[in-house]
C-alpha cells in the first residue's frame, strides 16, 4: 500500500465546505475525498462524481436470479426427473412464478448489498485512515492529495482563505486494508495534533 501525503482541511459547516470544494476543483488540486457527518445536498456534483451504477448491478443480479430459477426448475422437471402428473406439461411456467420471483428478489438484494459494501469499502474488517477524529461527528473534512506539482503551503493558505478552520498535512496509507477496529491505527503516531484523548 502506497504512503501518500494529504492536505486535510476541517470546516465548521456545509455552507463553507461546498464553495470551497468547487474552488478546489477549479484550481486543479487533486481532491481525494470529502467526509461529512450527514449527506450534503449538491456535494456529489461539486466533487464531480458521476452517478452510481449500483442500480444497473441490481438489475443484473435480479436477471441472474430469474435465469437461475427458470433454468434450474426447467432442468429438474424436464431433463433430470420428468414426472407425468395427470398429463400436465413438464414445464408449467405459471407454477414457476413464485420461486422465480423469490430468487429474483434474493439475488438482487444480496448482490446489490454486497456490491454497495464493496464500493464503499465497508466490509467487516476493512480499515481506512481517519483524517479527522470528528469527521463523522460534527466536522466537514476535505482531503487533497499532494502530488509532485502541489505546493503544500499554497494549498494550505488557499484552504484557510476559503473558510477552513484547521489545515494539516498528513501522511497516510492509500486505500483500505484488513485489520481490527478495536486496535487503534497509527493515526495518533502520524498525526498527534488531532488525536482523541
Amino acid at each position: 500500500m502506497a504512503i501518500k501525503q494529504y492536505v486535510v482541511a476541517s470546516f465548521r459547516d456545509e455552507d463553507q465546505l461546498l464553495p470551497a470544494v468547487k474552488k478546489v476543483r477549479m484550481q486543479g488540486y487533486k481532491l481525494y475525498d470529502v467526509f461529512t457527518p450527514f449527506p450534503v445536498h449538491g456535494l456529489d456534483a461539486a466533487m464531480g462524481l458521476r452517478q452510481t451504477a449500483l442500480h444497473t448491478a441490481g438489475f443484473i443480479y435480479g436477471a441472474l436470479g430469474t435465469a437461475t430459477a427458470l433454468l434450474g426448475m426447467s432442468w429438474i422437471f424436464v431433463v433430470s426427473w420428468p414426472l407425468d402428473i395427470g398429463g400436465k406439461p413438464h414445464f408449467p411456467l405459471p407454477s414457476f412464478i413464485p420461486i422465480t420471483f423469490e430468487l429474483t428478489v434474493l439475488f438482487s438484494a444480496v448482490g446489490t448489498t454486497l456490491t454497495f459494501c464493496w464500493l464503499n469499502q465497508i466490509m467487516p474488517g476493512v480499515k481506512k485512515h481517519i483524517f479527522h477524529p470528528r469527521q463523522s461527528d460534527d466536522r466537514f473534512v476535505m482531503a487533497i492529495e499532494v502530488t509532485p506539482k502541489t505546493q503544500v503551503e499554497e494549498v494550505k493558505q488557499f484552504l484557510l482563505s476559503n473558510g477552513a478552520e484547521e489545515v494539516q498535512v498528513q501522511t497516510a496509507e492509500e486505500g483500505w486494508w484488513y485489520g481490527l477496529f478495536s486496535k487503534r491505527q497509527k493515526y495518533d503516531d502520524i498525526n498527534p495534533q488531532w488525536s482523541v484523548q
Side-chain angles (χ1 to χ4, degrees), residues 43-78:
L43 184 58
D44 291 350
M47 293 174 65
L49 299 178
R50 61 184 169 86
Q51 188 177 11
T52 178
L54 193 60
H55 56 281
T56 305
F59 175 79
I60 292 171
Y61 291 129
L64 185 64
T66 301
T68 301
L70 289 177
L71 291 174
M73 288 185 290
S74 300
W75 182 79
I76 290 169
F77 290 110
V78 175

Side-chain angles (χ1 to χ4, degrees), residues 63-120:
L64 185 64
T66 301
T68 301
L70 289 177
L71 291 174
M73 288 185 290
S74 300
W75 182 79
I76 290 169
F77 290 110
V78 175
V79 177
S80 178
W81 198 263
L83 294 177
D84 184 10
I85 303 173
K88 294 182 179 177
H90 293 298
F91 188 74
L93 185 60
S95 63
F96 288 172
I97 288 177
I99 293 175
T100 304
F101 173 77
E102 295 294 338
L103 274 185
T104 301
V105 172
L106 178 69
F107 274 53
S108 181
V110 172
T112 304
T113 301
L114 291 177
T115 303
F116 174 81
C117 291
W118 175 259
L119 291 174
N120 290 293

Side-chain angles (χ1 to χ4, degrees), residues 17-18 21-22 25 31-36 42-50 142:
L17 175 74
L18 267 178
V21 169
K22 291 176 184 173
R25 287 195 61 221
L31 183 63
Y32 176 71
D33 210 343
V34 177
F35 305 92
T36 61
L43 184 58
D44 291 350
M47 293 174 65
L49 299 178
R50 61 184 169 86
M142 176 176 16

